[in-house]
């Protein structure tokens, strides 16, 4: 079992540009389109036409770049859980803070956790992800709750 998260972005940023941005964050090492940090590994990929069409139909966002994150399940403490989860959230919100582009954040390739359209961030009301006390302090931008597609 693994915990995988995907951040999809609209706009014209290339995966290697995003990896370079991530490499400037504290604790992140990047090599080309791949990166690693406390409790995670990941990388960037261009989005293919089929996936782009599916996302557009499901949530109304035309994405061009995917940033994938895989949680290292061996990096765990009883107090904080999987440390990679905090790393992912800090990384995702750092990216969102640097680009106004539309975005979509998925868990395990299908569960929609949030979408940002035209600058408006909407968390999936059906998901408890946004309620987790470990992450509340990491959400640095205003957001709303609404029903989003449960999966893509």
């Amino acid at each position: 079992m693994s915990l995988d998260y995907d951040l999809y972005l609209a706009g014209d940023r290339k995966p290697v540009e995003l990896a370079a941005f991530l490499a400037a964050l504290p604790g992140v090492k990047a090599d080309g389109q791949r990166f690693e940090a406390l409790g995670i590994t990941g990388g960037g990929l261009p989005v293919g036409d089929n996936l782009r069409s599916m996302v557009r139909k499901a949530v109304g966002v035309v994405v061009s770049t995917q940033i994938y994150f895989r949680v290292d399940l061996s990096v765990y403490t009883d107090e904080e859980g999987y440390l990679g989860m905090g790393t992912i959230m800090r990384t995702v919100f750092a990216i969102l803070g640097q680009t106004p582009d539309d975005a979509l954040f998925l868990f395990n390739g299908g569960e929609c956790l949030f979408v940002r359209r035209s600058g408006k961030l909407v968390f999936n009301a059906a998901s408890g992800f946004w309620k987790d006390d470990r992450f509340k302090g990491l959400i640095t931008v205003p957001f709303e709750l609404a029903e989003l597609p449960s999966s893509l």
Side-chain angles (χ1 to χ4, degrees):
M1 181 183 137
S2 67
L3 300 175
D4 298 321
Y5 293 84
D6 299 287
L7 177 65
Y8 294 94
L9 297 169
D12 58 1
R13 290 179 186 247
K14 304 284 185 242
V16 71
E17 293 176 78
L18 287 166
F21 168 76
L22 294 176
L25 296 175
V28 178
K29 297 179 216 166
D31 180 21
Q33 293 178 199
R34 295 191 43 78
F35 61 89
E36 62 181 51
L38 178 64
I40 65 168
T41 57
L45 300 166
V47 173
D49 292 337
N50 290 338
L51 180 59
R52 181 178 300 113
S53 176
M54 184 174 66
V55 170
R56 182 186 53 75
K57 289 175 186 171
V59 295
V61 174
V62 179
V63 296
S64 59
T65 303
Q66 172 191 7
I67 305 296
Y68 64 90
F69 303 89
R70 175 161 285 155
V71 176
D72 180 346
L73 299 180
S74 71
V75 184
Y76 179 89
T77 68
D78 290 336
E79 300 82 35
E80 297 181 52
Y82 297 109
L83 299 183
M85 295 301 301
T87 303
I88 289 171
M89 292 304 293
R90 283 187 294 280
T91 304
V92 164
F93 283 101
I95 292 169
L96 292 181
Q98 291 298 311
T99 177
D101 295 333
D102 288 351
L104 171 68
F105 192 53
L106 301 179
F107 171 63
N108 277 351
E111 182 183 345
C112 184
L113 299 176
F114 72 69
V115 64
R116 181 169 72 180
R117 286 183 291 248
S118 302
K120 184 176 166 184
L121 183 61
V122 180
F123 278 86
N124 190 347
S127 171
F129 182 79
W130 58 273
K131 296 179 192 176
D132 192 316
D133 288 337
R134 295 174 297 161
F135 308 135
K136 281 183 182 177
L138 301 176
I139 303 171
T140 57
V141 296
F143 65 90
E144 297 178 10
L145 297 175
E147 294 296 322
L148 295 174
S150 59
S151 65
L152 296 183

